[in-house]
Amino acid sequence: MPAAMHEGPIDCAWLLADPGAEPAQSDMRIELAGDRIGSIAPLAHKAAIGTGGPRLLALPALANAHDHARTFRSATLGAFGQPLESWLPFLGVVPGMDPYLCAATSFARSARHGVANLMVHYTRVQGGMAYADEAEAVARAARDVGVRIGFAIAMRDRHGIAYCDDAAVLSALRPGIRDAVAERLAVKPVAPAQQLALVEEVARRIEQGGHGGHVTVQYGPTGVQWCSTPLLEAIAQASADTGRPVHMHLLETRYQRDWADANHPGGIVRFLDDIGLLTPRLTLAHCAWARPEELALIAERGATIAVNTSSNLGLKSGIAPVPEMLKHGCRVAMGLDGMAFDEDDDALREMRLAYSLHRGWGYDTTMTREQLWAFASGNGPRSVRGGLARGGRIEPGAPADMVLLDWDALDDDALFAETDPLDLLLARGNGSHIAKVLVGGRMVVDGGRVLGIDEPALRAELLARMRAALAADAGGALSWRETVKALADDLGPFYRSGRIGGCCG
Ligand SMILES: [Zn+2]
């Protein structure tokens, strides 16, 4: 069940109400008014050690503008070191599990690391039940953990194995795996109208289940190379009609860049604009290989870019041109994409890694602290919740979404009283410093522990079930794993040969 509303004031040794834009304030009291911030005022006395817990540093909660509610980590599945194109098939090497267990354990990790709003681009259906039932299980998991989610139904209708017709890539694979790969991965296209109807059905179920307050249902075309033009056009029209947000990958890797240039010579971003998809309702994950003129158009149309720094490093995709995005005025938000640097969903470390890469070399500043905070906290809620939602500030009237860090642990040297808390946060802050997390006035994490669910018990249950399923299916899952390894090996030469360019329309 969801955690209770927080009672009483929150006293903190330091408050970063609008990090990067306003200086930190010492010894402050925050009063809540229901799910919102009520008032903020100086404490009559100093926030003292020994008053029932550590001294606290309060900051706005973080947002995760691109993710998939994956529960099993990439290296565990044997996919470490694979580029995206060879990594994707590894997601299917374990059987589907109970969707509530998977989502709850994934959301709990996010909440423990300070995230209040997070995106779920639901590309991995666990199966075993009707889709709408599964979506509702994910919504229940979000409610019980206490986070808000954007739930984008993954939509696609082509190119199940590589960025070309399935038959073309199958003929390039070693013969021994072709049948198995075709059976598991070749696309069985579903008509656009049917895919849109599923989105409506899920949206109805979410409303009926009472999850409308914390779940925003979205269209989730997986990417241009995976979606036919009629499907993308239908989604653009439906989004215009319903106002629902759209969440899609774009230009994640060099091979997607090659494919886009070969198949959309007029420009892939221009194409999205021409079909009416490039709107303020759209979030584009990655854009790591976008060009300046494409970024300018994305900025002009008001779409959001979700940058996934660790994921782009982990999948060897590259480093997104964040300074260029900012220079063009793009709204840029942080995504973790299920692959934080330590595979632990640590959003604080993710923020620091992005800042280290993009703040500028030497005396140059290419990403300010204010821009960093908009990236990590302010802009993400819009991708998750749609409309004009934003985060990033602790101020009266704003949603009571806060992370409370153990200040004494963060400043464990305690030599200089005037040290800027934001300096220490950006130098060394990570999930281990988080004492409490509030989302909408509810205390969802306390003492580093998620309150709404028994996370260790659910995780143990999930792992036990997975081990049992793997043991029962020793032939099936294990031999599929071997097939995926062979497929990953064969895809390397396929992509390197440049055969994806122009092999399909
Ligand atoms: Zn992704």
Side-chain angles (χ1 to χ4, degrees), residues 66 68 70 121 249 252 285-286 337:
H66 178 67
H68 303 275
R70 284 189 206 110
H121 191 190
H249 298 93
E252 181 171 356
H286 302 294
D337 202 14

Side-chain angles (χ1 to χ4, degrees), residues 66-68 70 84 87-88 121 123 222 247-249 252 285-286 308 311 315 336-338:
H66 178 67
D67 220 311
H68 303 275
R70 284 189 206 110
L84 175 85
W87 171 86
L88 284 168
H121 191 190
T123 45
T222 47
H247 195 90
M248 182 170 82
H249 298 93
E252 181 171 356
H286 302 294
N308 307 276
S311 162
L315 298 175
L336 277 84
D337 202 14

Side-chain angles (χ1 to χ4, degrees), residues 49-383:
I49 304 177
T51 50
R55 293 192 302 165
L56 299 171
L57 161 62
L59 40 113
L62 303 178
N64 178 355
H66 178 67
D67 220 311
H68 303 275
R70 284 189 206 110
T71 199
F72 296 104
R73 290 165 292 175
S74 208
T76 298
L77 301 181
F80 178 74
Q82 296 286 355
L84 175 85
E85 286 74 13
S86 285
W87 171 86
L88 284 168
F90 279 92
L91 296 175
V93 298
V94 287
M97 286 282 123
D98 178 75
Y100 178 89
L101 282 180
C102 292
T105 48
S106 171
F107 296 155
R109 271 204 307 273
S110 289
R112 272 195 287 110
H113 289 94
V115 168
N117 292 285
L118 68 121
M119 197 57 222
V120 179
H121 191 190
Y122 208 59
T123 45
R124 169 78 159 105
V125 180
Q126 301 296 331
M129 60 174 75
Y131 191 104
D133 293 337
E134 181 163 341
E136 201 194 359
V138 175
R140 267 190 288 118
R143 178 199 65 192
D144 291 352
V145 171
V147 291
R148 302 187 202 93
I149 62 169
F151 186 85
I153 289 108
M155 306 164 84
R156 66 183 296 177
D157 61 358
R158 64 174 176 179
H159 304 171
I161 307 162
Y163 309 148
C164 66
D165 292 333
D166 292 338
V169 62
L170 282 170
S171 67
L173 304 179
R174 68 192 73 181
I177 64 170
R178 285 178 196 167
D179 288 348
V181 170
E183 195 194 317
R184 289 282 292 249
L185 298 180
V187 165
K188 295 127 196 120
V190 175
Q194 218 176 317
Q195 299 202 38
L196 290 171
L198 179 63
V199 176
E200 291 309 313
E201 188 193 340
V202 169
R204 268 196 307 277
R205 179 64 73 84
I206 294 299
E207 282 300 328
Q208 284 163 3
H211 303 295
H214 68 275
V215 181
T216 303
V217 174
Q218 309 192 8
Y219 304 103
T222 47
V224 181
Q225 64 280 351
W226 294 306
C227 297
S228 68
T229 299
L231 177 58
L232 292 175
E233 286 172 337
I235 291 168
Q237 186 60 51
S239 171
D241 293 343
T242 61
R244 282 190 211 299
V246 183
H247 195 90
M248 182 170 82
H249 298 93
L250 185 74
L251 294 171
E252 181 171 356
T253 69
R254 60 201 289 179
Y255 307 108
Q256 291 181 10
R257 173 85 264 175
D258 292 347
W259 180 89
D261 290 342
N263 292 279
H264 292 280
I268 192 165
V269 176
R270 180 68 60 189
F271 162 73
L272 294 177
D273 193 36
D274 288 344
I275 63 169
L277 206 57
L278 197 62
T279 76
R281 294 184 300 277
L282 177 67
T283 294
L284 293 165
H286 302 294
C287 297
W289 290 78
R291 300 192 176 109
E293 67 274 16
E294 294 174 324
L295 296 174
L297 184 55
I298 291 169
E300 205 181 307
R301 294 293 183 262
T304 300
I305 299 174
V307 167
N308 307 276
T309 308
S310 292
S311 162
N312 290 162
L313 294 172
L315 298 175
K316 299 154 88 177
S317 301
I319 297 174
V322 172
E324 196 78 33
M325 293 171 181
L326 294 172
K327 211 170 76 192
H328 283 97
C330 295
R331 189 186 309 107
V332 190
M334 176 172 78
L336 277 84
D337 202 14
M339 208 187 274
F341 201 67
D342 290 349
E343 294 198 298
D344 58 358
D345 294 290
D346 191 330
L348 283 175
R349 185 180 288 112
E350 181 72 15
M351 171 181 80
R352 289 170 41 222
L353 182 67
Y355 188 53
S356 301
L357 284 171
H358 301 304
R359 63 184 165 179
W361 307 119
Y363 295 103
D364 291 344
T365 299
T366 48
M367 183 187 216
T368 66
R369 290 174 175 209
E370 203 173 344
Q371 287 172 324
L372 174 72
W373 205 261
F375 168 78
S377 175
N379 292 337
R382 184 187 178 117
S383 295

